[in-house]
Amino acid sequence: MATINVPADHPNIQTALDNASNDDTIIVADGEYSGADNCTLDFNDLRITLESANGPKKILVDCSTESFVRFPGTQASSCVVDGFTVHSRYGSGWIARCDATTGLTVQNCYARMCTTGGRGAFYITTGSCNTINNLITDGCTVGNNNGLLGQINGAGTLTSKHDTVIGCGPGDGIELLDAGATFVATNTVIWVPDYDPIINSVGATETITYC
């Protein structure tokens, strides 16, 4: 259960992940980060907490046309991402693409001025334990019939708590693409003028509380 600091111990986030062990915490210092070694992050099937040193106002990760975190199908351990601002133009999840059956918890993060013609902050193809807490998406746009908060495919599940989704152009709130998709929201604000807060496919499940 070690604490690893970026860039003091390792020059970038992926190198820190590559040198981490189960239950380690990686703390990323204030500043701006970009490039392949700070985006499309692979947690190497480890239980890791990745957090910023002083919250999302002090850090920006510019992933250009990539996702910040990638949970591949081989990821069998749950992880936490806490306190980052992300800018991206990636079409399948600005903050995270989840193809694993285990869960990713993203909290206290901010998707800023992200644009794409496809999915929004999260693209979930499977997995039953994906949770976001205190996420803000603001000034972001996606294509018509796509969700700013993201898209849930297959039997994927997304739980949203205390999140704020603000649209400034084309884009709905959340898209439940397939019959097995599940979206659970509590105390979540989805404000998308002229568009739908939720696009729900036949057979998909949505549970909304105090939104």
Side-chain angles (χ1 to χ4, degrees), residues 142-160:
V142 294
N144 290 331
N145 297 318
N146 286 285
L148 287 161
L149 190 56
Q151 182 185 90
I152 308 172
N153 291 20
T157 297
L158 181 64
T159 299
S160 170

Side-chain angles (χ1 to χ4, degrees), residues 21-25 43 45-49 75 77-79:
S21 301
N22 273 328
D23 301 315
D24 284 355
T25 297
F43 283 73
D45 193 20
L46 298 173
R47 294 186 308 274
I48 295 174
T49 296
Q75 178 73 28
S77 301
S78 297
C79 297

Side-chain angles (χ1 to χ4, degrees), residues 124-125 152-155 175-182 200-205:
I124 298 170
T125 62
I152 308 172
N153 291 20
E175 181 184 10
L176 282 64
L177 189 64
D178 295 320
T182 300
N200 191 336
S201 297
V202 175
T205 302

